[in-house]
């Protein structure tokens, strides 16, 4: 039986984590191929709804990553993001969504190794949790066929 | 509530306000919102333990604003007051004055500053039953919570009564009404309903005063106030901001402190 | 033609329901859901709540679901392939325990859905729905069926009309071939019941106005801005009334697709929403709530009788019970009828 391969979507900021992920590659560090990276100018731009949309589209887990506090390319975008995630994560938990499926991190442009570590550990954790079919099943449910 | 009626008569007679928004007897022992524009009509105003509805929603309704400066009956006990709309520049001392009602007394609050002073003497924390309702979900396992919320939210009709009744949902064009792209689906499917209520709860983060009007308005009694109240508690605990406490309250999600604390970002 | 009347024992009624479900019918009836009485799937008579006056929501979901797929589509190479549901996708539905007002509402819905286009989805569902109505032994101050051509024991729209008798039995009036076929599932309920007095068991619902008077007066009151403004000042435009109403049939259509496949969905809508009549140009002919409130009443009491020969209100009172700010349709319509 084929082992479950998690599909992970990563929302990352251009200036830090995206550059950091590039460094991972140029450093020839191998890491799990389960992640699909989506580039944003800043974590402050990441709408919480995008996370839910990613789950509905088939993601089993999500990584959200950006610049360290005080290092945001736009000065404070990541501070706003932090507040948003604190609030949203608590809501997800309250709804019964396992917050281990959403990993938040600060990965700078110099932290190629850290990016690999974040992806690898998230992939391993989600492999244990299994596919997020519970969420995907909601899509398409509740519609009467107009027979 | 003769004090309340007397106050209303005075305010209307002097032209200080053009309309008094309060409560009156409705059908079958219910309460209904009333709009008194003539001092002679103030006799039907009343206030008792049934008066829970948050009338602040009318302070932001175009047809009521058109009448002129309003005096709003603000039941302080359930956090209904005009301070959060004031913090968002939706009302001011020029457009509104409050008549606070708590513990059987009508308290004249001629300015928002006086309202803020009064509110500071009252606890805005949720009442014991509300805390228990919130905690009940917290005691459930993750599977139980997911099952509970899906069961409840799949019943949602997308009638948007929750939005219409909420004083803080005053956007003239709500996110759900954008269809390029259709961010929140129109049909009342389980997924669409979840997305709607999550979005609404997040858009109310740090803004929800916990009046419970959304739940009272819901024709099928969905416990959606738990979501907005839960976030309200998180924001108060995490950022020290409680909606309805000040006419100058910061908006939690557009401000920050460099030392905001969390324990989950690696 | 004499209506066939039978006595249905509780056991026979229970057996009828269970046999219908076993034969593949989706059965819905009023159920006690944590204190709120509303339609839910039922499988046996014990599931059915009977002590209530009215359910929160109507039974229109059986004919006009809150979300319905009209068709779906997908791409095969360069071709678009349309997938339409067939008759086989329409389930046989049994509505058990609706009130006479709910049964009467079916005629209003059928008029709307067959006005110019004969709506295929609605008509297929209607052809496959059996309506078992339980008459009203109690009413409340929100009910006004007798003012709009109905009554607590009326048979319009019902296949079987049941009146509760002593000891959990029912008087069953067989009104249609569908009703006949349903009752035939329990041949043991063959006691004739001609001597039972139905009328004395029914609730008293005093008539408050006549529909013809209201229709005439309301048309004349169209321009009375002050009247409509006063009535609607507290209205929040929330949509609850339209959604719980058994005759409201406004709908929205939306496509959900991802470019490769998708579906076209029909969902409930409300004329009370501020955007309901907003044009792409930005112009909104019903910009203020008073215009929308007037439209609601005019549609139900003037436009529908004028054009479809049927009222758009059956006096069930659900809108008033559900309204968060106590808009009371009976009160408002009565006021309009009193306009000089």
């Amino acid at each position: 039986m084929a082992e479950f391969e998690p599909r992970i979507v990563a929302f990352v900021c251009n200036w830090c984590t995206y550059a950091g992920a590039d460094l991972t590659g140029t450093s020839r560090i191998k890491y799990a191929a389960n992640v699909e990276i989506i580039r944003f100018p800043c974590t402050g731009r990441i709408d919480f709804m995008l996370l839910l949309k990613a789950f509905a589209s088939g993601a089993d887990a999500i990584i959200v990553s950006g610049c360290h506090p005080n290092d945001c390319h736009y000065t404070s975008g990541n501070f706003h993001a932090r507040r948003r995630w604190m609030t949203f994560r608590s809501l997800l938990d309250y709804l019964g969504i396992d917050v281990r499926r959403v990993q938040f991190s600060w990965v700078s442009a110099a932290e190629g190794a850290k990016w690999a570590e974040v992806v690898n550990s998230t992939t391993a954790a989600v492999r244990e949790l299994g596919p997020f079919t519970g969420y995907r099943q909601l899509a398409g449910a509740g519609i009467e066929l107009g027979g | 509530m003769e004090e309340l009626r007397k106050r209303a008569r005075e305010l209307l007679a002097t032209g200080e306000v053009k309309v008094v928004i309060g409560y009156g007897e409705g059908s079958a022992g219910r309460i209904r919102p009333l709009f008194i524009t003539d001092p002679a009509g103030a006799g039907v105003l009343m206030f008792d333990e049934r008066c829970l509805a948050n009338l602040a929603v009318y302070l932001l309704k175009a047809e009521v604003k058109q009448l002129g400066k309003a005096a709003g009956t603000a039941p302080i006990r359930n956090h209904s007051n005009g301070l959060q709309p004031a913090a968002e520049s939706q009302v001011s001392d020029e457009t509104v004055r409050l008549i606070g009602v708590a513990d059987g007394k009508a308290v004249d609050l001629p300015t928002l500053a006086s309202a803020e002073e009064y509110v500071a003497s009252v606890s805005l924390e949720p009442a014991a039953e509300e805390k228990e309702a919130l905690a009940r979900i917290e005691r459930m396992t993750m599977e139980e919570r997911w099952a509970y919320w899906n069961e409840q939210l799949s019943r949602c009709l997308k009638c948007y009564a929750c939005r219409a009744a909420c004083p803080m949902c005053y956007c003239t064009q709500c996110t759900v009404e954008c269809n390029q792209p259709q961010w929140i689906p129109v049909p009342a499917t389980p997924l669409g309903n979840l997305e709607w209520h999550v979005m609404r709860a997040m858009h109310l983060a740090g803004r929800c005063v916990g009046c419970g009007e959304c739940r009272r308005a819901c024709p099928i009694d969905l416990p959606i106030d738990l979501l907005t109240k839960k976030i309200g508690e998180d924001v108060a605990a995490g950022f020290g901001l409680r909606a309805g406490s000040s006419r100058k309250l910061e908006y939690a999600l557009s401000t920050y402190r460099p030392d905001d604390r969390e324990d989950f970002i690696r | 033609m004499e209506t066939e009347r039978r006595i249905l024992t509780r056991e026979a009624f229970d057996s009828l329901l269970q046999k219908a479900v076993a034969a593949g019918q989706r059965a819905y009836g009023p159920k006690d859901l944590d204190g709120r009485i509303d339609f839910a799937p039922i499988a046996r008579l014990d599931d059915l709540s009977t002590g209530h006056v009215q359910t929160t929501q109507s039974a229109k979901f059986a004919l006009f679901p809150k979300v319905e797929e009209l068709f779906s589509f997908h791409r095969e190479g360069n071709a678009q392939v349309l997938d339409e549901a067939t008759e086989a996708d329409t389930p046989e539905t049994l509505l058990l325990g609706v009130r006479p007002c709910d049964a009467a509402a079916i005629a209003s819905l059928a008029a709307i859905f067959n006005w110019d286009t004969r709506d295929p989805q609605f008509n297929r569902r209607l052809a496959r729905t059996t309506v078992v109505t339980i008459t009203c032994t109690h009413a409340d101050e929100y009910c006004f069926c007798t003012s709009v051509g109905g009554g607590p024991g009326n048979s319009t729209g019902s296949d079987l009309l049941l009146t509760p008798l002593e000891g959990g039995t029912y008087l069953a009036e067989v009104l249609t071939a569908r009703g006949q076929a349903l009752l035939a599932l329990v041949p043991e309920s063959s006691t004739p019941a001609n001597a039972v007095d139905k009328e004395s068991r029914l609730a008293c619902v005093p008539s408050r106005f006549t529909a013809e008077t209201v229709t005439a007066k309301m048309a004349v009151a169209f321009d009375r801005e002050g009247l409509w403004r006063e009535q609607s000042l507290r209205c929040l435009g929330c949509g609850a009334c339209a959604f719980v109403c058994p005759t409201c049939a406004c709908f929205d259509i939306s496509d959900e697709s991802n470019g490769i496949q998708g579906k076209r969905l029909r969902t409930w809508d409300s004329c009370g929403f501020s955007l309901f009549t907003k044009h792409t140009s930005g112009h909104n002919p019903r910009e203020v709530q008073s215009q929308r409130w007037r439209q609601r009443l005019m549609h139900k009491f003037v436009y529908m009788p004028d054009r479809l020969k049927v009222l758009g209100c059956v006096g069930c009172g659900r809108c008033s019970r559900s309204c968060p700010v106590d808009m009371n349709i009976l009160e408002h319509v009565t006021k309009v009828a009193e306009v000089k």
Side-chain angles (χ1 to χ4, degrees):
Chain A
M1 191 193 83
E3 203 182 314
F4 155 60
E5 280 303 331
R7 279 190 77 187
I8 303 176
V9 173
F11 297 111
V12 307
C13 84
N14 175 65
W15 304 97
C16 283
T17 305
Y18 194 77
D22 267 348
L23 181 60
T24 320
T26 54
S27 308
R28 301 281 183 266
I29 299 175
K30 285 203 171 70
Y31 63 102
N34 300 63
V35 70
E36 286 161 87
I37 294 179
I38 300 177
R39 183 171 64 120
F40 284 75
C42 178
T43 50
R45 165 61 182 102
I46 301 170
D47 190 323
F48 57 85
M49 281 305 300
L50 289 171
L51 275 62
L52 291 190
K53 297 291 184 184
F55 281 136
S57 303
D60 299 301
I62 297 171
I63 296 172
V64 180
S65 185
C67 304
H68 288 261
N70 293 311
D71 290 343
C72 176
H73 184 84
Y74 303 99
T75 314
S76 56
N78 57 357
F79 285 136
H80 293 300
R82 177 164 63 182
R83 278 213 167 176
R84 190 180 307 138
W85 300 339
M86 287 167 73
T87 312
F88 189 58
R89 190 173 180 271
S90 172
L91 178 62
L92 289 181
D93 181 70
Y94 201 64
L95 290 166
I97 293 173
D98 196 330
V99 293
R100 289 173 298 177
R101 291 191 184 275
V102 191
Q103 287 288 338
F104 297 92
S105 60
W106 308 128
V107 172
S108 80
E111 292 179 302
K114 183 174 180 187
W115 177 244
E117 196 269 312
V118 167
V119 175
N120 284 337
S121 60
T122 306
T123 306
V126 178
R127 207 176 265 124
E128 290 295 312
L129 290 175
F132 200 8
T133 46
Y135 197 93
R136 290 200 275 285
Q137 270 160 14
L138 292 181
I143 298 172
E144 291 266 344
L145 275 188
Chain B
M1 260 280 124
E2 200 37 57
E3 233 180 285
L4 181 62
R5 292 180 195 133
K6 182 160 157 283
R7 202 74 205 96
R9 262 179 230 120
E10 281 165 7
L11 289 169
L12 288 168
T14 57
E16 171 65 31
V17 304
K18 296 286 187 283
V19 59
V20 173
I21 310 171
Y23 303 92
E25 292 287 348
S27 347
R30 291 176 63 187
I31 294 297
R32 66 173 58 162
L34 288 183
F35 305 87
I36 311 294
T37 48
D38 181 350
V44 291
L45 287 171
M46 46 79 66
F47 192 90
D48 64 22
E49 68 283 348
R50 293 171 291 164
C51 298
L52 300 167
N54 191 344
L55 301 178
V57 67
Y58 292 110
L59 298 176
L60 303 154
K61 191 182 175 207
E63 290 89 339
V64 176
K65 277 158 70 168
Q66 261 164 30
L67 296 173
K69 184 169 180 181
T73 312
I76 304 294
R77 200 179 6 92
N78 70 331
H79 330 309
S80 309
N81 57 56
L83 292 177
Q84 190 58 30
E88 299 183 14
S89 308
Q90 297 302 309
V91 298
S92 68
D93 284 330
E94 278 76 54
T95 62
V96 97
R97 67 185 277 159
L98 301 174
I99 304 175
V101 193
D103 304 317
K105 291 197 336 256
V107 181
D108 196 27
L109 303 167
T111 61
L112 292 165
S114 62
E116 187 169 332
E117 236 182 85
Y118 182 77
V119 163
S121 67
V122 178
S123 169
L124 290 179
E125 279 206 21
E129 319 82 68
E130 287 178 299
K131 284 196 169 138
E132 170 51 29
L134 288 168
R136 201 183 126 246
I137 309 291
E138 256 145 6
R139 287 195 292 269
M140 295 180 186
T141 64
M142 293 305 272
E143 290 76 21
E144 284 169 345
R145 288 181 200 182
W146 182 241
Y148 175 78
W149 285 113
N150 272 304
E151 197 233 305
Q152 295 296 323
L153 297 179
S154 62
R155 295 195 293 120
C156 173
L157 308 176
K158 288 289 205 72
C159 70
Y160 298 121
C162 47
R163 177 185 69 175
C166 175
M168 301 317 300
C169 277
Y170 54 76
C171 287
T172 48
Q173 181 143 347
C174 175
T175 308
V176 301
E177 281 145 17
C178 174
N179 65 359
Q180 303 263 11
Q182 188 71 50
W183 200 213
I184 306 290
V186 171
T189 53
L191 181 61
N193 295 345
L194 177 70
E195 290 183 345
W196 158 240
H197 288 288
V198 165
M199 195 216 79
R200 200 179 95 89
M202 284 298 291
H203 280 203
L204 285 169
R207 306 173 60 231
C208 166
V209 295
C211 68
E213 205 53 30
C214 47
R215 182 180 196 149
R216 272 192 291 275
C218 177
I220 53 174
D221 197 36
L222 294 181
I224 48 190
D225 61 327
L226 294 182
L227 297 176
T228 51
K229 283 173 178 170
K230 162 67 177 158
I231 292 189
E233 290 311 295
D234 285 346
V235 168
F239 312 130
L241 299 167
R242 192 172 275 285
S245 62
S246 167
R247 71 199 189 285
K248 299 215 173 98
L249 195 74
E250 286 183 342
Y251 175 42
L253 294 188
S254 73
T255 56
Y256 65 89
R257 291 168 52 147
D259 58 354
D260 280 332
R261 282 265 153 277
E262 42 60 38
D263 59 359
F264 57 87
I265 307 180
R266 54 208 288 186
Chain C
M1 192 193 91
E2 270 296 307
T3 307
E4 192 185 341
R5 304 169 119 217
R6 296 265 190 84
I7 298 288
L8 194 65
T9 62
R10 190 182 165 77
E11 292 72 34
F13 192 12
D14 193 10
S15 175
L16 181 152
L17 172 57
Q18 293 192 45
K19 284 187 177 166
V21 171
Q25 298 231 24
R26 292 187 321 178
Y28 294 96
K31 211 169 170 189
D32 187 334
L33 307 168
D34 281 329
R36 201 176 53 84
I37 311 294
D38 215 345
F39 285 101
I42 52 171
R44 34 184 321 124
L45 204 54
D46 280 342
D47 294 335
L48 198 73
S49 166
T50 51
H52 59 280
V53 168
Q54 191 51 287
T55 53
T56 304
Q57 292 185 76
S58 74
K60 72 179 174 187
F61 65 87
L63 303 174
F64 171 46
K66 79 175 178 184
V67 183
E68 180 169 32
E69 181 185 303
L70 298 179
F71 54 81
S72 62
F73 43 87
H74 66 275
R75 200 164 61 194
E76 273 175 17
N78 282 332
Q80 310 294 331
V81 179
L82 196 67
D83 308 307
E84 286 183 278
T86 64
E87 304 240 333
D89 295 305
T90 308
E92 283 281 339
T93 303
L94 175 61
L95 292 176
L96 196 75
V98 300
R99 295 296 187 202
C101 50
D102 300 320
I106 295 175
S108 303
L109 286 179
I112 294 168
F113 284 106
N114 287 287
W115 174 31
D116 49 2
T117 306
R118 302 185 72 77
D119 189 277
Q121 288 83 6
F122 177 87
N123 287 321
R124 273 196 283 259
R125 291 181 192 282
L126 183 60
R128 283 166 160 68
T129 301
T130 309
V131 180
V132 177
T133 306
I134 299 182
T135 60
C136 306
T137 53
H138 294 88
D140 66 15
E141 52 258 271
Y142 292 101
C143 298
F144 59 99
C145 56
T146 48
S147 305
V148 287
N154 268 30
S155 58
T156 313
S158 303
D159 294 303
L160 266 186
L161 187 63
L162 306 181
T163 301
L165 306 174
E166 291 74 35
T169 61
Y170 289 87
L171 166 68
E173 292 172 79
V174 186
L175 300 160
T176 64
R178 276 199 153 245
Q180 182 75 269
L182 188 66
L183 205 56
L185 290 176
V186 285
E188 61 268 30
S189 73
S190 58
T191 328
N194 295 311
V196 173
D197 176 15
K198 172 185 164 188
E199 297 307 313
S200 66
R201 295 164 197 278
L202 298 177
C204 178
V205 187
S207 174
R208 302 285 296 272
F209 54 78
T210 61
E212 292 74 25
T213 311
V214 164
T215 300
K217 281 289 182 67
M218 204 175 276
V220 163
F222 185 88
D223 289 313
R224 301 285 197 95
E225 303 260 354
L227 171 74
W228 304 112
R229 201 176 333 119
E230 196 200 301
Q231 286 193 0
S232 67
L233 199 51
R234 64 181 182 276
C235 172
L236 298 171
C238 79
C241 55
F243 280 50
V244 299
C245 170
T247 63
C248 275
C250 284
F251 56 82
D252 195 359
I253 296 191
S254 53
D255 283 353
E256 292 192 348
S257 73
N258 63 8
I260 300 170
Q261 67 197 20
K263 32 182 95 142
R264 177 158 293 175
L265 304 175
R266 172 163 69 188
T267 78
W268 293 351
D269 203 345
S270 165
C271 63
F273 292 148
S274 57
L275 288 193
F276 189 73
T277 46
K278 189 163 184 178
H279 299 179
T280 321
S281 63
H283 170 63
N284 189 346
R286 294 187 209 135
E287 231 169 0
V288 291
Q289 202 63 46
S290 57
Q291 292 166 313
R292 297 190 283 272
W293 171 246
R294 174 180 63 186
Q295 146 67 16
R296 180 174 172 74
L297 291 198
M298 296 286 298
H299 178 92
K300 289 177 174 301
F301 289 92
V302 177
Y303 307 149
M304 276 185 70
D306 266 354
R307 295 172 202 190
L308 306 181
K309 311 299 174 229
V310 68
L311 271 181
C313 176
V314 292
C316 73
R318 285 190 177 90
C319 53
S320 311
R321 289 187 202 95
S322 287
C323 177
V325 296
D326 196 38
M327 295 282 280
N328 188 308
I329 196 171
L330 172 58
E331 185 188 314
H332 288 135
V333 169
T334 310
K335 277 225 171 63
V336 174
E338 289 163 2
V339 157
K340 301 274 172 290

